[in-house]
């Protein structure tokens, strides 16, 4: 009997939520005001806020609709009325899903001056919010993490002590949409990365002229953007050129030096050192931003920090191994060469999907989540890097015999030079190393490669910075 009653109750609750009218873009700017991302459709929209003036028992209320992806069942969506574009000292309305009761709770609240805490309102104005009635309430879709709620808030609160904000015209406020994955006991929690967006201009909520605002500032964190820019410079620019130099340019510039070492070796060491340094700074910045390890739990966002730490670890290990390298003539030198090669190559390969996922991280900015051309630029770069390596491999095979003969001749000249030096003990010039055949083509390729790497890196940095 108890089981039957439970089933009937669940069916009743399901039916209740099933008839909740979905919040849509329909009649935006006609019968209701709307706030949404620049890229928002009925089938794909990170969040949507609407409002319209209604009358309840001869008293003015504003009917709000909040809809957004909150990533987790414990999440929330809230709307703040701010006098500027920053969170702090604001009135707030919002909702969250209570899994224990299978209900959406709608609450009013207020942000403290610092904007770090949102407290629920528990004051004397009991009819500040109307949450029950026809088409009012809310629903949560666990399949896609979308939370929706519809309610009414009194235009002029009876209690103005707790920053509830008077919505009477001509009072205008910036609207700040906040989405988070975890609410606090007495208030809404902090937004997840990229879960905070603000209107570009203040809005008179009770104005009879409704507008549809699409100019939303997706508040990508400056620290998170710096993290992304440094990673792009490290792996698209420095690592890409450094790897090509070490792999294909050991025989180029044989009689020139750079800071006491061969040009290829010193260039490789400098570039890879900068890469590791930028990666370390970038990791420190993102840990500061996240106040520890990333709180991202939704797919695919949680994969980015995992891959990032793997790349970071490999980037640190490889130079440490390089410091322990043995003499080129040592019997274990081939082991070092292969280990150094595999660790560096694996880190470089992993950096590509890590950067691609990073461009989709909410902390990078709302716009970056919806534009595809940065990903296509990265895909082009991967293809370009692969083609450069194929071209240099073919070039190396084509000139292999010729350069091998030059090298053999040079070894004989060195042997003769050493023998003559031992016999007469006279000072004579050491034979110069032969310039490799096909070097002019390789000069062109490294110049082209470095130029494209720099252009791609600069373009990606600009895209990350401005979006």
């Amino acid at each position: 009997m108890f089981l039957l009653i439970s089933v009937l109750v669940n069916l009743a609750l399901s039916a209740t939520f099933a008839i909740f009218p979905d919040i849509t873009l329909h009649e935006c700017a006609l019968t209701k005001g709307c706030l949404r991302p620049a890229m928002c459709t009925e089938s794909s929209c990170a969040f949507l806020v609407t409002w319209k003036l209604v009358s309840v028992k001869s008293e003015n209320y504003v009917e709000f609709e909040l809809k957004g992806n909150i990533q987790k069942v414990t999440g929330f969506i809230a709307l703040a009325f701010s006098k500027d574009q920053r969170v702090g000292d604001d009135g707030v309305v919002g909702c969250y899903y209570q899994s224990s009761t299978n209900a959406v709770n709608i609450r009013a609240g207020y942000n403290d001056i610092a904007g770090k805490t949102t407290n629920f309102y528990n004051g004397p104005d009991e009819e500040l919010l109307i949450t029950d009635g026809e088409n009012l309430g809310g629903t949560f879709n666990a399949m896609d993490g979308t939370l929706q709620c519809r309610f009414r808030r009194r235009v002029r609160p009876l209690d103005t002590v707790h920053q509830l904000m008077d919505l009477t015209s001509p009072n205008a406020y910036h609207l700040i949409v906040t989405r988070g994955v975890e609410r606090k006991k007495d208030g809404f929690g902090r937004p997840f990365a990229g879960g905070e967006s603000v209107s570009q201009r203040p809005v008179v909520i009770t104005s009879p002229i409704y507008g549809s605002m699409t100019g939303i500032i997706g508040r990508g964190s400056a620290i998170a953007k710096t993290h992304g820019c440094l990673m792009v410079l490290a792996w698209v620019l420095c690592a890409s050129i450094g790897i090509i130099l070490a792999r294909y340019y050991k025989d180029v510039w044989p009689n020139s030096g750079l800071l006491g070492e061969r040009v290829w070796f010193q260039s490789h060491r400098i570039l890879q050192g900068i890469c590791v340094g930028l990666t370390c700074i970038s990791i420190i910045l993102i840990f500061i931003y996240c106040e520890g390890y990333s709180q991202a739990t939704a797919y695919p966002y949680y994969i980015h920090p995992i891959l990032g730490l793997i790349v970071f670890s490999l980037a640190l290990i490889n130079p440490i191994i390089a410091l322990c390298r043995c003499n080129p003539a040592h019997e274990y030198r081939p082991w070092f060469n292969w280990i150094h090669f595999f660790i560096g190559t694996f880190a470089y390969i992993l950096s590509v999907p890590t950067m691609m996922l990073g461009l989709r991280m909410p902390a990078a900015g709302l716009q970056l989540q919806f534009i595809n051309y940065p990903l296509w630029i990265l895909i082009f770069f991967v293809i370009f890097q692969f083609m450069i390596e194929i071209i240099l491999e073919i070039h190396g095979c084509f000139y292999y015999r010729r350069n091998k003969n030059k090298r053999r001749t040079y070894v004989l000249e060195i042997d003769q030079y050493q023998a003559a030096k031992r016999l007469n003990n006279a000072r004579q010039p050491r034979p110069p190393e032969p310039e490799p055949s096909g070097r002019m083509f390789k000069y062109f390729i490294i110049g082209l490669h470095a130029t494209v790497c720099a252009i791609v890196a600069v373009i990606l940095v600009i895209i990350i910075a401005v979006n």
Side-chain angles (χ1 to χ4, degrees), residues 1-14:
M1 186 66 180
F2 176 76
L3 180 61
L4 179 60
I5 293 173
S6 299
V7 171
L8 291 174
V9 169
N10 286 329
L11 287 174
L13 287 171
S14 300

Side-chain angles (χ1 to χ4, degrees), residues 373-393:
Y373 62 86
L375 296 180
W376 285 110
I377 291 173
L378 264 179
I379 291 171
F380 156 77
F381 178 74
V382 170
I383 296 172
F384 172 77
Q385 181 79 8
F386 179 73
M387 292 303 299
I388 288 292
E389 297 205 23
I390 292 296
I391 290 170
L392 289 173
E393 286 286 353

Side-chain angles (χ1 to χ4, degrees), residues 81-126:
F81 311 106
S82 178
K83 296 175 183 177
D84 50 34
Q85 289 188 320
R86 297 181 179 180
V87 174
D89 198 25
D90 319 308
V92 179
V93 290
C95 55
Y96 60 90
Y97 177 66
Q98 188 75 44
S99 58
S100 60
T101 59
N102 196 30
V104 173
N105 292 343
I106 301 168
R107 298 295 300 268
Y110 51 92
N111 293 322
D112 63 5
I113 295 177
K116 294 184 178 180
T117 304
T118 303
N119 301 302
F120 288 145
Y121 174 72
N122 296 304
D125 192 350
E126 296 181 356

Side-chain angles (χ1 to χ4, degrees), residues 158-176:
L158 301 181
D159 181 4
T160 57
V161 176
H162 296 102
Q163 302 96 12
L164 294 178
M165 300 303 177
D166 184 355
L167 303 182
T168 307
S169 178
N171 294 335
Y173 302 99
H174 287 278
L175 303 181
I176 302 176

